[in-house]
């Protein structure tokens, strides 16, 4: 099987916010019922905070769905809670795009006032987003190679391949 390191990708995306001096980091994620994107990325987020002796604050955490509109709404909820934050980690790039759209509408400047990072190497935003990519192309190639081995050999040892993730720092965390 081929799988992606959702824990490490969230850890790296949170850690870059911490390295850029964010200490009040909000979290926009998805349901914990989703093991990879929900649970593993949330654990990566909280573990990165723990490395810097920061306790997660439930008031700065919003669980939502996967779409850009959901990220927009989650950012609105965070702002309405009136709990200060200087960074936002989003479980997906789509959530981050929605959150940045809401921040922009509220005249909150990214990255000067709030830095944003996410998992997923998607470049749709007008402001380049710092992301951690999950190597989907490499994962697909590896899975295809495993399938061909299985077809040709008919009996191969069971194995798992964890795809590496890669941080791409862009403007949303610089400045």
């Amino acid at each position: 099987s081929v799988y992606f390191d959702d824990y490490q990708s969230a850890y790296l995306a949170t850690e870059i916010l911490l390295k850029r001096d964010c200490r009040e980091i909000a979290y926009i994620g998805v349901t914990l019922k989703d093991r990879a994107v929900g649970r593993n990325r949330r654990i990566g987020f909280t573990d990165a905070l723990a490395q810097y002796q920061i306790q997660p604050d439930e008031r700065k955490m919003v669980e939502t769905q996967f779409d850009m509109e959901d990220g927009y709404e989650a950012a609105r909820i965070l702002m309405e809670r009136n709990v200060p934050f200087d960074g936002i980690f989003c479980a997906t790039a789509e959530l981050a795009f929605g959150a940045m759209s809401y921040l922009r509408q509220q005249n909150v400047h990214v990255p000067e006032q709030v830095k944003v990072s996410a998992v997923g190497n998607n470049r749709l935003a007008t402001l380049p987003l710092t992301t951690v990519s999950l190597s989907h192309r490499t994962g697909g190639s590896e899975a295809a190679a495993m399938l061909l081995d299985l077809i040709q050999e008919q009996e191969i040892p069971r194995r798992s391949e964890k795809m590496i993730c890669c941080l791409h720092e862009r403007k949303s965390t610089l400045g």
Side-chain angles (χ1 to χ4, degrees):
S1 68
V2 174
Y3 66 99
F4 301 99
D5 196 343
D6 289 283
Y7 169 88
Q8 184 66 20
S9 63
Y11 188 98
L12 290 172
T14 305
E15 184 179 49
I16 195 63
L17 295 170
L18 293 159
K19 286 180 176 179
R20 297 295 170 254
D21 297 322
C22 295
R23 292 299 178 268
E24 301 291 336
I25 303 174
Y27 170 88
I28 299 175
V30 302
T31 177
L32 297 177
K33 292 176 186 173
D34 182 312
R35 185 175 182 188
V37 180
R39 189 175 67 86
N40 291 347
R41 291 184 190 179
R42 183 167 173 159
I43 294 169
F45 167 77
T46 58
D47 283 358
L49 293 180
Q51 277 297 117
Y52 284 74
Q53 289 77 47
I54 298 172
Q55 290 292 322
D57 183 345
E58 290 293 327
R59 298 172 303 164
K60 295 180 197 160
M61 300 175 93
V62 178
E63 190 177 291
T64 188
Q65 300 299 311
F66 286 86
D67 295 329
M68 202 177 307
E69 295 80 19
D70 300 314
Y72 182 96
E73 180 65 16
R76 185 191 63 74
I77 290 168
L78 285 169
M79 295 286 285
E80 284 182 359
R81 288 181 181 169
N82 209 22
V83 179
F85 56 89
D86 55 7
I88 303 175
F89 163 71
C90 297
T92 70
E94 288 75 15
L95 291 173
F97 296 147
M100 289 191 304
S101 176
Y102 182 80
L103 293 173
R104 186 172 35 257
Q105 194 175 70
Q106 300 304 306
N107 292 317
V108 176
H109 300 282
V110 176
E112 296 82 6
Q113 293 172 284
V114 175
K115 293 175 177 25
V116 180
S117 68
V119 176
N121 198 19
N122 188 327
R123 295 188 188 110
L124 292 175
T126 55
L127 174 72
L129 174 64
T130 294
T131 59
V132 176
S133 63
L134 292 174
S135 306
H136 286 107
R137 186 169 287 151
T138 304
S141 297
E142 187 63 32
M146 288 177 158
L147 182 59
L148 285 174
D149 286 348
L150 182 62
I151 291 168
Q152 292 172 353
E153 299 293 321
Q154 306 228 334
E155 211 175 296
I156 60 169
R158 188 178 174 132
R159 72 178 206 240
S160 290
E161 292 287 330
K162 178 169 51 172
M163 297 292 102
I164 60 166
C165 49
C166 183
L167 176 70
H168 302 276
E169 187 167 23
R170 299 186 184 96
K171 191 175 177 186
S172 70
T173 56
L174 297 171

